[in-house]
Amino acid sequence: MMQFLGKVGAVLLGLALVLAVCLPVGAVEPIKIGVLGPMSFTQGEGHWNGASMAADEINKAGGIKVGAQARPIELVKVDTNEFLSVPDATNAIEMAISRYNVDFLVGGFRTEAVMVMQDIAMDAKKIFIGCGAAHPELCTKVTKDYDRYKYWFRLTPINSKFLGKVDFILLGTVGAIMKKTLGIEKIKVAIVAEKAAWADPIVGIAQKLLPAKMGMEVVGVWRPSPVAKDCTAELAAIQRAGAHIVFTTFSSSVGLTFAKQMGELKVPAVAVGINVESQKSGFWEATGGNGNYAVTINTYARVEITPKTIPFYDKYVKLYKEAPNYTAGTYDALYILKEAVEKAGSVNSDKVLPFLEKTDYIDTAGRVVFDKSHDVTWGPEYVTSIGTQWQDGKIQCIWPYHWEKVFYKGTVPFKMPPWVVEYYKKKK
């Protein structure tokens, strides 16, 4: 029986890896790029869609020039199933490297899984551009043990530290608007974060920073499961606690559940923070419109972050019938790899590495310059990320709004949920 199960497992794992046709007919050896992600979830779809779009464009333009030869890209779809099983993720990346002989790796999502996959990639000396996991430790390893972790780079999202910084800017901005328009003397905040490692630093900092530096009161911390199907108990407790703002930190499906039920219950508070589900076009339909006014950090909206943003955004929507989420940053990862490979004239990791380290590239989300830890530089003139809000069925960019002289054309003002305004006017 065990032998039978082993064979079945091998077959299933093999099926999880699908070679994509993104190359023209010809005898030229392709450059194989493994795209890692939970392919049954929107985050994995984003990985795959972004990479496919870039590979198609690059191949149609002649491929990647390696020395005198133009080589096409061949993508390898690697279903890591990392939401549900870290061992599945390790098996998948091992197969991508050993059986499919990929030259480079992009993607990854859940920090707990990416930590392990990172080690496997480093052992194999494969350049791995992370396009999903946010924990700072992934890049701190590069500075602590450069020789071992030098092949790791993170492109998107910005790390938890800066996600937290933008989080707090959004929180402070919304809090200031609520104080002014509703006459609230002291803003009360409920911290709600999915129970996952990447969210821990944000929760810890929020508990200290809000009362000490931002003049806000923390009324409680709630840590639902990343895949919770019911958050009514948490929402009832938050409402009893009198929170004006719910500071969210969600990367997985609980963000959909929470936003939908918060809208259904008309909780008199504003949701601000990170909610990856609300970055999706389907969020509106999935919440039945109850996700209206939810605010999240985002990577993309139809605003002019760089000259490449709107053309990328529109083409992505046309191809996939939805807005790109941040894991679609694999699109930029492939172009950055292309540039480094062409400068190196090789696909050898050690030869490509120094050119990746010197990257100074305008991508669809900002100007990419890697720091010493191989993390993307954050701030004005570089990558900032953005804040978006659902406003009556549309994802609108609301931040940066003349922050540090940064304003992206197409950005609109934040809107207060009308039931929140009504609730506090009645309380006066």
Side-chain angles (χ1 to χ4, degrees):
M1 177 59 78
M2 291 304 292
Q3 277 186 325
F4 172 74
L5 291 174
K7 289 178 181 177
V8 170
V11 170
L12 290 175
L13 188 57
L15 289 174
L17 293 153
V18 181
L19 295 179
V21 179
C22 291
L23 63 161
V25 176
V28 178
E29 184 182 4
I31 297 172
K32 290 186 178 181
I33 300 177
V35 184
L36 307 163
M39 298 301 174
S40 299
F41 295 83
T42 184
Q43 293 83 359
E45 290 173 357
H47 285 126
W48 185 247
N49 292 346
S52 297
M53 197 168 138
D56 185 58
E57 289 175 1
I58 292 168
N59 286 343
K60 283 181 178 173
I64 297 178
K65 193 172 182 182
V66 185
Q69 190 178 48
R71 294 172 59 180
I73 292 172
E74 180 179 308
L75 298 182
V76 179
K77 190 176 192 177
V78 187
D79 187 354
T80 55
N81 194 33
E82 58 200 82
F83 274 134
L84 305 177
S85 170
V86 172
D88 280 2
T90 59
N91 290 339
I93 190 174
E94 283 174 351
M95 184 171 284
I97 293 170
S98 62
R99 180 172 297 183
Y100 293 97
N101 299 314
V102 296
D103 297 292
F104 303 103
L105 295 155
V106 298
F109 184 74
R110 177 65 65 205
T111 292
E112 292 86 338
V114 175
M115 285 279 188
V116 183
M117 291 195 289
Q118 183 189 43
D119 281 339
I120 294 169
M122 298 305 102
D123 287 342
K125 300 188 185 305
K126 294 292 181 185
I127 286 175
F128 182 178
I129 300 183
C131 299
H135 201 289
E137 182 64 17
L138 286 162
C139 289
T140 302
K141 287 180 178 179
V142 178
T143 53
K144 287 180 178 174
D145 188 352
Y146 178 81
D147 287 341
R148 173 163 169 69
Y149 290 99
K150 61 187 176 185
Y151 305 107
W152 164 264
F153 291 80
R154 172 168 39 221
L155 181 61
T156 185
I158 54 177
N159 69 45
S160 297
K161 174 184 170 185
F162 292 117
L163 284 173
K165 191 175 180 73
V166 177
D167 251 0
F168 296 125
I169 292 172
L170 289 175
L171 177 61
T173 301
V174 172
I177 294 171
M178 291 185 81
K179 285 181 77 170
K180 183 177 180 180
T181 59
L182 302 178
I184 296 170
E185 188 173 339
K186 188 167 189 173
I187 296 293
K188 295 180 180 179
V189 179
I191 299 171
V192 185
E194 65 189 24
K195 197 168 181 56
W198 76 274
D200 294 346
I202 296 175
V203 172
I205 293 169
Q207 287 177 285
K208 296 176 182 174
L209 191 65
L210 267 57
K213 300 289 185 183
M214 298 180 69
M216 296 177 172
E217 178 184 345
V218 176
V219 296
V221 177
W222 287 265
R223 303 294 302 269
S225 160
V227 291
K229 300 292 186 185
D230 185 359
C231 295
T232 53
E234 288 89 345
L235 286 163
I238 288 166
Q239 190 162 352
R240 284 196 301 272
H244 304 110
I245 294 176
V246 181
F247 190 46
T248 59
T249 307
F250 300 137
S251 69
S252 53
S253 59
V254 65
L256 193 62
T257 303
F258 192 89
K260 182 174 185 288
Q261 294 183 328
M262 187 171 173
E264 288 173 343
L265 295 169
K266 291 287 185 288
V267 176
V270 178
V272 180
I274 300 169
N275 188 343
V276 173
E277 287 289 337
S278 75
Q279 299 170 0
K280 295 170 52 181
S281 300
F283 176 79
W284 185 258
E285 287 74 21
T287 63
N290 287 300
N292 206 8
Y293 305 108
V295 175
T296 184
I297 291 176
N298 213 328
T299 300
Y300 301 114
R302 199 179 183 284
V303 291
E304 197 172 300
I305 301 173
T306 76
K308 295 177 181 176
T309 312
I310 291 179
F312 162 75
Y313 190 95
D314 287 350
K315 185 175 180 181
Y316 192 98
V317 171
K318 183 179 179 181
L319 286 174
Y320 305 115
K321 313 305 178 192
E322 64 179 16
N325 65 29
Y326 77 87
T327 58
T330 49
Y331 176 86
D332 293 313
L334 262 62
Y335 274 102
I336 288 171
L337 273 173
K338 174 181 183 291
E339 185 176 89
V341 167
E342 290 184 340
K343 287 179 178 176
S346 171
V347 294
N348 179 280
S349 291
D350 287 305
K351 292 182 178 177
V352 173
L353 178 66
F355 293 98
L356 265 184
E357 290 180 328
K358 294 175 185 172
T359 295
D360 190 343
Y361 182 83
I362 303 296
D363 76 4
T364 61
R367 178 187 170 196
V368 174
V369 175
F370 292 114
D371 64 18
K372 288 182 179 178
S373 70
H374 292 182
D375 209 347
V376 66
T377 304
W378 176 86
E381 298 184 8
Y382 296 96
V383 174
T384 59
S385 74
I386 60 175
T388 57
Q389 182 182 34
W390 277 95
Q391 295 183 357
D392 302 325
K394 292 182 179 178
I395 302 175
Q396 300 281 16
C397 178
I398 59 164
W399 185 90
Y401 198 89
H402 303 293
W403 166 83
E404 298 287 341
K405 299 181 181 178
V406 180
F407 180 85
Y408 301 133
K409 187 178 177 182
T411 303
V412 302
F414 162 79
K415 280 188 179 179
M416 191 87 69
W419 63 87
V420 175
V421 176
E422 186 178 351
Y423 178 85
Y424 285 102
K425 281 186 174 177
K426 283 182 180 177
K427 285 191 73 175
K428 287 183 178 177

